[in-house]
Amino acid sequence: MPGFPSPFGGDGGALFESYGEFVPENLPEPGPFLEGHDVLTGREHAAFHRLTRALFEERTVYDMTFNYNLARLNLDTRHESAGYRYAVERGDADDAIEDDGVDRVLRAEFTPTTPFCPQTHTLTIGSFRAWNGLADRHEYDLVRVRAAPMHHQSVAINDQLAELERTYLETGDATAEPEESVAVGSTPGEGAIGNEGSGREVPDAPF
């Protein structure tokens, strides 16, 4: 059927850009987490995002609303300001990672489709665990993940991502849970959840 999106790749007809293309007008603008760092563009962006597709497929990081690999959101022409942008971290930045075992760091900033996207918490954690749990597949010692500030719970989500990051650097285990976890609510009016799978029901994903 023309234009029917495949969850595994391909061009998806007129609805999706190609994984080999870099079309900045169809991507979110780099936000504050990437500011002052070397934002990936052109072939570098496309190459890392192709790798992201494979890692997200292996770890089942799927957008449950659209029922496709989260990497496809970058290519979805119906949501031109949503998806991931990347930047290589500059070591002289005030908030750069200071760790003797970490030489090369990538920053990844996720912009959801809406400010109240209930999956942003789960998707960013799944992304962090996919990139860092399969770190032998890319050139970075650490991939840091944050939600864009347009999301209504970006502060709480990013605090939890920072905790996961610190725990990963201490343990080397991308699936390890922090000893203390910041509570993150799901949608307005719903209770907070401290960990995936607690509180309200969320889709299961083997992150």
Side-chain angles (χ1 to χ4, degrees), residues 44-97:
E44 290 183 328
H45 172 94
F48 188 79
H49 203 63
R50 283 195 300 271
L51 173 66
T52 292
R53 172 184 59 176
L55 301 187
F56 284 5
E57 194 67 38
E58 186 166 332
R59 292 299 176 96
T60 324
V61 185
Y62 266 52
D63 186 308
M64 303 306 292
T65 299
F66 305 121
N67 193 30
Y68 59 49
N69 184 315
L70 180 60
R72 296 210 83 200
L73 182 58
N74 273 48
L75 314 178
D76 194 330
T77 58
R78 298 166 297 182
H79 304 286
E80 295 178 346
S81 297
Y84 270 110
R85 291 300 302 269
Y86 312 106
V88 177
E89 182 171 284
R90 293 185 176 178
D92 58 355
D94 291 340
D95 60 343
I97 289 293

Side-chain angles (χ1 to χ4, degrees), residues 131-144:
W131 279 317
N132 292 292
L134 299 170
D136 60 328
R137 305 271 289 276
H138 55 73
E139 61 184 303
Y140 300 102
D141 299 311
L142 173 67
V143 179
R144 306 178 70 185

